[in-house]
Amino acid sequence: MNKNLSKKIPASYYQQEDVVAIAKDLIGKKIVSNINDQLTSGIITETEAYRGYDDKACHAHLGKFTDRTKVMYEDGGVAYVYLCYGIHNLFNIITNSKDQADAILIRAVEPVDGVEVMLERRNKLKLDKTLTSGPGNFSKAFALDKSHYGAFLTGDLVWVEENDQFRFRESEITTTTRIGINYAQEDKDLPWRFYLNTSKFISKR
C-alpha cells in the first residue's frame, strides 16, 4: 500500500460537527496537492473556522445559497475555492454534515515538498515566509484555483495527511480572532483563528 495513501485523512474526519475544533486540529497536519503531476506539500500552520448559518462572517450566513456557496452545503470533505478581490483564490475545506455549510480557510503552510515548483508558480527566486503565508499565496504556490471547487479531499488532486513526524506542544498553537472580517459585527471577535506560533510561515501574528 502506498505510504502516503495510508496517511490520507478520511472523509469522516471532516464530517465531525465542531468546525472550530477541526480548524485547530488541522494545525500540524500536512496538506498535499498533485496538480499536473507536480506534487507539493506543506505543514498547515494557520487556519480560520467559519460556522454556517449563525456566523456573520460566513458566506452561508442565514442560509445564503448561491452558485458560489452551493458546495458549502455538501457533506464535509470537499473543497470550497473562491476568488477574493478578483485576484486571489482562497482554499477552504467544507466540514460537518450536509446542509450545515461549515468551512475552514487554510491561511498558511510551511513548505515541505516541491519548493522549487512553488517558487516557479509564485515567480520567486528564493524561499521566504511570503511563499506560502497568506491564503492567496498558499493557493498559488499549490496551484489551487476555482477549477478545484468541489474537489474531494479523499481524491488525488488535493488532500490532507496525518503528519506523525511533526511534533509540537499545545502551547505552540495561538488562538486569536479572524482577519479581514470587520463587517461581521460582534462575530469578528470570535477566537476562531489558529496558528503555529513557532513557525515563521504565518500571515499575521
Side-chain angles (χ1 to χ4, degrees):
M1 188 176 188
N2 183 292
K3 191 175 180 181
N4 287 334
L5 287 179
S6 68
K7 292 184 177 181
K8 190 179 292 186
I9 291 175
S12 57
Y13 173 85
Y14 306 107
Q15 292 164 10
Q16 298 175 92
E17 291 184 359
D18 190 340
V19 65
V20 179
I22 300 171
K24 184 176 182 180
D25 192 65
L26 281 170
I27 300 297
K29 289 182 168 43
K30 183 188 284 188
I31 189 164
V32 186
S33 77
N34 188 11
I35 311 298
N36 297 324
D37 292 325
Q38 292 183 302
L39 189 138
T40 53
S41 76
I43 297 165
I44 297 172
T45 55
E46 184 180 358
T47 62
E48 284 179 346
Y50 291 85
R51 191 172 66 195
Y53 188 86
D54 63 350
D55 178 5
K56 292 178 180 177
C58 185
H59 290 172
H61 180 234
L62 298 180
K64 185 176 182 181
F65 188 98
T66 66
D67 281 342
R68 181 172 82 160
T69 65
K70 61 186 179 183
V71 77
M72 298 184 73
Y73 293 86
E74 298 298 321
D75 284 322
V78 296
Y80 170 43
V81 187
Y82 67 90
L83 203 60
C84 183
Y85 303 128
I87 303 170
H88 302 294
N89 289 288
L90 302 194
F91 180 86
N92 300 257
I93 295 172
I94 299 307
T95 68
N96 210 332
S97 56
K98 192 174 180 66
D99 295 330
Q100 297 304 307
D102 293 350
I104 297 167
L105 173 65
I106 305 298
R107 288 197 56 90
V109 308
E110 185 167 323
V112 176
D113 300 306
V115 172
E116 292 300 322
V117 173
M118 296 184 208
L119 288 169
E120 184 176 349
R121 289 170 177 166
R122 295 281 333 280
N123 295 315
K124 292 174 71 70
L125 296 176
K126 63 178 183 177
L127 172 63
D128 60 34
K129 73 174 188 177
T130 64
L131 181 65
T132 49
S133 298
N137 293 337
F138 154 69
S139 294
K140 190 170 183 180
F142 276 60
L144 297 169
D145 57 33
K146 287 178 68 178
S147 71
H148 304 110
Y149 178 99
F152 290 99
L153 270 77
T154 51
D156 297 322
L157 291 176
V158 56
W159 65 90
V160 180
E161 298 178 357
E162 295 291 354
N163 191 10
D164 300 333
Q165 285 76 41
F166 189 71
R167 295 275 188 266
F168 59 93
R169 295 184 295 275
E170 180 78 13
S171 61
E172 293 174 43
I173 297 180
T174 294
T175 301
T176 186
T177 54
R178 297 171 292 183
I179 295 172
I181 56 164
N182 287 335
Y183 59 85
Q185 300 175 9
E186 69 275 10
D187 287 351
K188 69 180 173 50
D189 298 320
L190 291 168
W192 287 359
R193 179 167 74 98
F194 305 94
Y195 67 84
L196 188 65
N197 57 45
T198 51
S199 176
K200 68 179 182 179
F201 291 89
I202 301 299
S203 68
K204 183 179 179 181
R205 292 183 184 273

